[in-house]
Amino acid sequence: MVITGAGRGLGRLLAEAFDAAGASVGLVARSEDALQKVAASLDGEALVCAGDVRDSAFNESVARGMVERFGGLDVWIANAGVSPEFTSVLDMEPDAWREIVDVNLTGTFLGARAAAAVMGEGGRIIVTGSVLGDRPLGGLGAYSASKSGVQALVQSLAQELGPRAITVNTVALGWFDTGLGRHWHRDAEREQGIVAHTALGRWGNAADLAGMYLYLASGSSAYVTGATLTVDGGYSLR
């Protein structure tokens, strides 16, 4: 299996969770040093692949590398993403917009395409999304747009890959103290606003994250595809 964005945060947590479950893991991120540290912390085999998910040739080389090293590729988790600071669309530079959309959306497309090219029947493609894909916030326009696009891409891929029994799903995350959420968690006013808006009355923590990905990668989810499964403590209910 492959996890992009595996050098830190959720990606590292997922690498540890799947390693504990006995998976051979392909670790993808830009920093080789960060990936080597993650690989050294795992008990099982890991393939370190440092590069840019926006590069189609790189994604294809990762997929081929998994086949050559482990004999196949059954799960691809498209988790790499850019988590920007709070910025109005009116003030955002076009290059900043392009980077967010290219990493979060185009990177997901290129990874999924590379994975599907080598996957056998019954493969799994899992994409890290966000509740902001359905409930955009002012000041997070590029991020929200990229995550909304991810959900549409997943639904299209699910239809195209369904005849091969390859499932494609989104895990839409709420507010966790990682990535984009870290900036807000350190702002007392915003942090309290999110807590007040969340049914469970708290931010998510690491223990809340891996279970959904493990489920979607397992045989138990064989009839789940094109879905957005939300892990947000009830944030999107209000």
Side-chain angles (χ1 to χ4, degrees):
M1 66 167 300
V2 166
I3 302 169
T4 71
R8 60 182 180 177
L10 173 58
R12 179 167 189 158
L13 183 150
L14 292 175
E16 293 169 350
F18 278 94
D19 174 68
S24 299
V25 184
L27 304 171
V28 174
R30 296 184 190 183
S31 169
E32 183 166 359
D33 287 345
L35 291 177
Q36 292 291 356
K37 290 177 182 177
V38 175
S41 73
L42 305 181
D43 293 325
E45 289 190 83
L47 177 66
V48 169
C49 304
D52 193 332
V53 296
R54 295 173 293 182
D55 182 340
S56 60
F58 170 68
N59 283 282
E60 291 162 7
S61 72
V62 172
R64 290 195 304 270
M66 292 297 293
V67 173
E68 293 168 3
R69 175 77 173 271
F70 300 115
L73 174 63
D74 54 359
V75 179
W76 183 285
I77 299 179
N79 173 68
V82 176
S83 304
E85 296 281 356
F86 185 85
T87 307
S88 167
V89 170
L90 301 179
D91 297 327
M92 178 173 285
E93 294 295 330
D95 284 347
W97 172 280
R98 292 188 188 99
E99 181 182 11
I100 294 165
V101 174
D102 282 353
V103 174
N104 295 358
L105 181 54
T106 305
T108 296
F109 153 67
L110 293 173
R113 185 179 68 168
V118 301
M119 274 184 177
E121 185 170 314
R124 303 281 189 267
I125 297 173
I126 307 167
V127 180
T128 297
S130 169
V131 292
L132 299 184
D134 281 328
R135 299 174 66 89
L137 286 178
L140 293 171
Y143 184 82
S144 298
S146 70
K147 292 303 185 179
S148 181
V150 158
Q151 291 183 201
L153 173 63
V154 162
Q155 291 171 358
S156 295
L157 286 170
Q159 294 177 68
E160 295 179 13
L161 298 177
R164 293 168 54 191
I166 296 173
T167 66
V168 191
N169 293 288
T170 305
V171 180
L173 300 182
W175 295 94
F176 290 81
D177 188 17
T178 61
L180 175 64
R182 182 177 294 115
H183 304 302
W184 288 53
H185 194 59
R186 294 172 181 170
D187 183 306
E189 183 177 352
R190 289 175 177 168
E191 191 270 344
Q192 287 303 312
I194 289 167
V195 168
H197 201 277
T198 301
L200 292 181
R202 66 175 177 85
W203 280 55
N205 56 52
D208 300 315
L209 285 169
M212 187 64 77
Y213 291 84
L214 289 164
Y215 163 68
L216 288 174
S218 74
S220 298
S221 65
Y223 204 57
V224 179
T225 196
T228 297
L229 290 86
T230 303
V231 184
D232 71 348
Y235 174 84
S236 57
L237 297 175
R238 299 179 177 177

